[in-house]
Amino acid sequence: MQARQLEVFCMLMRSGTVTGAAAMLNITQPALSQILLHAEDQLGFKLFNRVRGKLVPTREAEELYPEAERIFSELGALRRRTTDMRFGRTGLIRIAATTPPAMSIVPKALLAFRTTYPDIVVRSLIAPLINVVDMIRNGDAPLGIVMNNIARPGIDVETLGYAELICIVPEGHHLAARDCITFADLQNETLISYRADTFPGQLLANAAASENQAFNPAIEIDISITALPFVRNGFGVAIVDGLLPWEQFPGLVRRPLLPRKTVPIALLTSRDRPLTGSHLMMRDYLRQACAGALKDGAE
């Protein structure tokens, strides 16, 4: 029995009349009757008898109906799923991000996205920059958010904005009373910040040199969140990116760093693998979330 024949059979069993079944299927009664005749010819037995102008299911039809209804329901579910996939309303979205955007931009994007598309599964991955790049290249994650906009072979890089580098100090620290902090203010402090061979580390070293000051972290970090326990436990003060929601962590005070320096936030996608409809939609939500996170951080 073909799919259309199965559909006609199930509608006839549900409605009990050619008129009702034709209306549910949005086809004419003659067309429905023709499909039924073809189905019976292929099966080699009748499915319905006409008794006083009404269709009465045969014993064979009664026996077939439960299984036919199950298959018909599954076909309907398959049609709905393929339609949803065509319009990007279902599926699996994979996002890889370094820690700061993973803790700030991605949650904002997911909250807005899931409100509109609750049936789409989203897989959020946190990894170092080099691993995010690898995941974009091999297709493990079609979307990546990192804090580096350097050009890379095979990857499209879209700069979404710039996050300021800031200072975080323990509550009660004498620098917490300052409106802003300079490199001169940090010369006698235990400094926690990026390694010199990282992008923000190089940026900060050059900025300090231009002020005739030193940039020598006593505690070196690769990602900003690792500075949290050191600062909160009074080991020293840190220069980190301002993208993380530092105000959510008790025991810390956030202050601007002068001269002002920023690091880029970039969206990575593969040049060789076009984004699916759902990933295209998520890309827009990530753009909006980045703009919102940078606005919140500036306030």
Side-chain angles (χ1 to χ4, degrees), residues 217-239:
I219 300 176
E220 295 182 334
I221 60 174
D222 288 316
I223 55 176
S224 54
I225 190 63
T226 55
L228 173 61
F230 296 114
V231 177
R232 193 153 58 181
N233 287 290
F235 279 86
V237 300
I239 303 177

Side-chain angles (χ1 to χ4, degrees), residues 262-284:
T262 62
V263 288
I265 304 163
L267 174 69
L268 307 184
T269 54
S270 172
R271 290 179 186 165
D272 302 323
R273 295 180 176 87
L275 296 176
T276 63
S278 54
H279 281 94
L280 285 169
M281 291 188 298
M282 176 54 78
R283 182 179 63 181
D284 291 336

Side-chain angles (χ1 to χ4, degrees), residues 30-42:
L32 186 144
S33 297
Q34 194 67 30
I35 294 171
L36 177 60
L37 286 173
H38 286 163
E40 291 177 331
D41 286 344
Q42 289 180 355

Side-chain angles (χ1 to χ4, degrees), residues 13 36 38 49-50 55-56 59 86 137 180 195 206 218 235 246 250 267 297:
M13 291 294 289
L36 177 60
H38 286 163
N49 292 316
R50 287 192 176 271
L55 287 180
V56 178
R59 181 171 296 178
R86 183 167 70 249
R137 285 201 176 115
C180 58
R195 290 185 292 109
N206 291 335
F235 279 86
W246 296 108
L267 174 69

Side-chain angles (χ1 to χ4, degrees), residues 165-167 182-184 186-187 189 191-221 237-240 257:
L165 293 170
I166 62 162
C167 286
T182 67
F183 285 103
L186 298 172
Q187 295 306 297
E189 304 293 337
L191 182 62
I192 304 153
S193 196
Y194 303 97
R195 290 185 292 109
D197 58 348
T198 64
F199 175 72
Q202 294 170 359
L203 189 69
L204 289 167
N206 291 335
S210 69
E211 300 276 312
N212 295 317
Q213 302 292 337
F215 174 74
N216 294 311
I219 300 176
E220 295 182 334
I221 60 174
V237 300
I239 303 177
V240 291
L257 173 69

